[in-house]
Amino acid sequence: MAIQSEELRTFVAVVEAGTLSAAAEVLEQTTSGVSRALSRLEEKLGASLLTRTTRRMDLTEEGHAFLEQARNILAAMETAEDTVRMRTQKPVGKLRVDAAVPFMLHCVVPHVGAFREAYPDIELELNTNDRFIDLVEQRTDIAIRIGELQDSTLHAKPLSSARLNIVASPGYLARYGEPSSVEELERHRLIGFSQPESLNQWPLRHAGGDRYPVKPAIRASSGETIRQLALHGQGIASLSNFMSDADIATGQLVKLLEPAYSGYQQKISAVYYRNTQLSRRISCFLDFLQCKL
């Protein structure tokens, strides 16, 4: 008997979700229906793909070998469908986008309404993650990444760039004073990132070069957390302009040490894992977002 595409989707969903019930929720099916589809697939293949216990499910050796092929088949089918749609239909389908919290809140969310009006048949799924993710495992179509890209296996589309502002709240400056030189930062309370450490190299010219390494008194993994700490007067921070310009304009944050800015800008890129032509819904979203940045 021939294997059906829905059986492949069920198998991949079970692996990615971890349990039959979680996969059923993702697929909007019953747990028993997912179990039957998985059993049919194993019967057709004549091999067990998963070992099942009361607490977990693990891939067998045959399951590991089949998983990659199943993903490739499903991706090829989706690409074929997208190719036809690009010729005959409006962009349609689910589009999963992942970005760090600050970028999602300040650069994507404000434009979702306009995007939905332009492309009402695209179903957006917006996820936030302050760390790099595996696009395949997380079932993500596009990830927006800021800074230098490390993974050479991914395809990337440059979208824009962001300058960095050194900022503090008026309340902090009233209490501790404003640094008049880069070196005076050592006497102030600084807010930085817990990781990667490269984000604690601020774009300021000084005697040692044009990147100033800071020793944060407070560290956070999210730029939005750092922004909120700065707004609440907890110290001086280095923030991307897309998340600090509005606060500067309203006077909630004050730019510091502008004469020492080195001019460094962070790259903003969209990354995706497909080797084939971009689906129309992905290219529509990227073109739309690029015009807004």
Side-chain angles (χ1 to χ4, degrees), residues 215-234:
K215 296 179 180 179
I218 306 174
R219 294 174 182 260
S221 61
S222 169
E224 186 61 25
T225 301
I226 293 175
R227 172 177 172 264
Q228 290 296 329
L229 287 167
L231 287 169
H232 285 82
Q234 292 305 304

Side-chain angles (χ1 to χ4, degrees), residues 62-103:
E62 291 77 12
H64 275 290
F66 188 68
L67 177 61
E68 182 178 358
Q69 297 299 323
R71 281 174 168 161
N72 289 339
I73 291 169
L74 292 173
M77 291 176 62
E78 188 171 350
T79 298
E81 293 172 3
D82 288 338
T83 300
V84 174
R85 289 194 185 106
M86 287 180 72
R87 292 177 176 268
T88 63
Q89 299 179 8
K90 297 181 296 183
V92 64
K94 179 174 284 188
L95 179 63
R96 303 176 182 89
V97 181
D98 181 277
V101 173
F103 189 89

Side-chain angles (χ1 to χ4, degrees), residues 72-169:
N72 289 339
I73 291 169
L74 292 173
M77 291 176 62
E78 188 171 350
T79 298
E81 293 172 3
D82 288 338
T83 300
V84 174
R85 289 194 185 106
M86 287 180 72
R87 292 177 176 268
T88 63
Q89 299 179 8
K90 297 181 296 183
V92 64
K94 179 174 284 188
L95 179 63
R96 303 176 182 89
V97 181
D98 181 277
V101 173
F103 189 89
M104 186 68 76
L105 291 179
H106 297 278
C107 298
V108 177
V109 170
H111 307 299
V112 166
F115 182 79
R116 294 283 297 131
E117 287 184 12
Y119 304 103
D121 296 321
I122 294 180
E123 179 186 348
L124 278 178
E125 181 179 305
L126 304 178
N127 299 306
T128 55
N129 200 311
D130 287 311
R131 297 183 180 181
F132 288 174
I133 62 168
D134 185 304
L135 302 188
V136 175
E137 288 184 1
Q138 298 298 322
R139 302 175 70 222
T140 296
D141 296 302
I142 308 168
I144 309 299
R145 294 186 175 171
I146 299 174
E148 297 297 326
L149 299 176
Q150 303 297 324
D151 191 343
S152 61
T153 65
L154 296 172
H155 296 265
K157 175 182 175 66
L159 295 178
S160 184
S161 60
R163 67 181 185 280
L164 295 171
N165 295 323
I166 311 301
V167 296
S169 71

Side-chain angles (χ1 to χ4, degrees), residues 42 48-53 56-60:
E42 291 180 319
S48 295
L49 301 176
L50 293 161
T51 56
R52 305 163 177 80
T53 66
R56 59 183 294 177
M57 305 183 74
D58 293 315
L59 283 166
T60 63

